[in-house]
């Protein structure tokens, strides 16, 4: 299954490592440092048409990608778990 992040960006759900609320996590200097380093390495994909509200860390083939999304982290998580619940 795939998860739509916005701006035509979809990711395979099996690659999602974590979903973070950007408002809460960006208060930490460690998160800001991680995001800055990921951007410097070219690992950040902006899937937000407006101000991002969440970010996802995805891993596939030993490579990490950080996706910025304008969707709320709770919404992304709900969409993901709804598909999981319906598949059982």
């Amino acid at each position: 299954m795939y998860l739509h992040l916005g701006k035509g960006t979809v990711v395979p759900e099996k690659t999602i490592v974590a979903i973070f609320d950007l408002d809460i996590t960006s208060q930490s200097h460690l998160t800001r440092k991680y995001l800055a380093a990921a951007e410097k390495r070219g690992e950040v994909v902006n899937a937000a048409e407006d101000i991002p509200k969440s970010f996802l860390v995805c891993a596939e083939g030993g490579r990490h990608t950080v996706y910025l999304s304008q969707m709320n982290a709770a919404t992304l998580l709900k969409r993901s778990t709804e598909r999981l619940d319906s598949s059982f």
Side-chain angles (χ1 to χ4, degrees):
M1 299 301 257
Y2 292 87
L3 184 63
H4 180 258
L5 305 180
K7 205 174 167 182
T9 304
V10 293
V11 296
E13 288 183 350
K14 66 181 181 178
T15 66
I16 299 172
V17 176
I19 301 173
F20 298 96
D21 183 304
L22 198 53
D23 289 334
I24 295 170
T25 57
S26 64
Q27 295 175 11
S28 167
H29 73 281
L30 295 174
T31 303
R32 291 192 307 269
K33 186 176 177 179
Y34 171 76
L35 291 173
E39 179 136 24
K40 196 174 197 178
R41 291 188 304 266
E43 298 174 348
V44 176
V45 175
N46 188 356
E49 293 179 15
D50 202 7
I51 297 171
K53 294 180 182 175
S54 63
F55 71 95
L56 291 83
V57 177
C58 296
E60 187 170 30
R63 179 168 160 77
H64 289 88
T65 306
V66 176
Y67 292 92
L68 301 176
S69 176
Q70 68 186 25
M71 294 184 198
N72 189 303
T75 301
L76 293 172
L77 182 60
K78 183 178 176 186
R79 286 182 179 185
S80 179
T81 57
E82 280 177 353
R83 285 197 205 109
L84 287 175
D85 290 342
S86 66
S87 66
F88 289 113

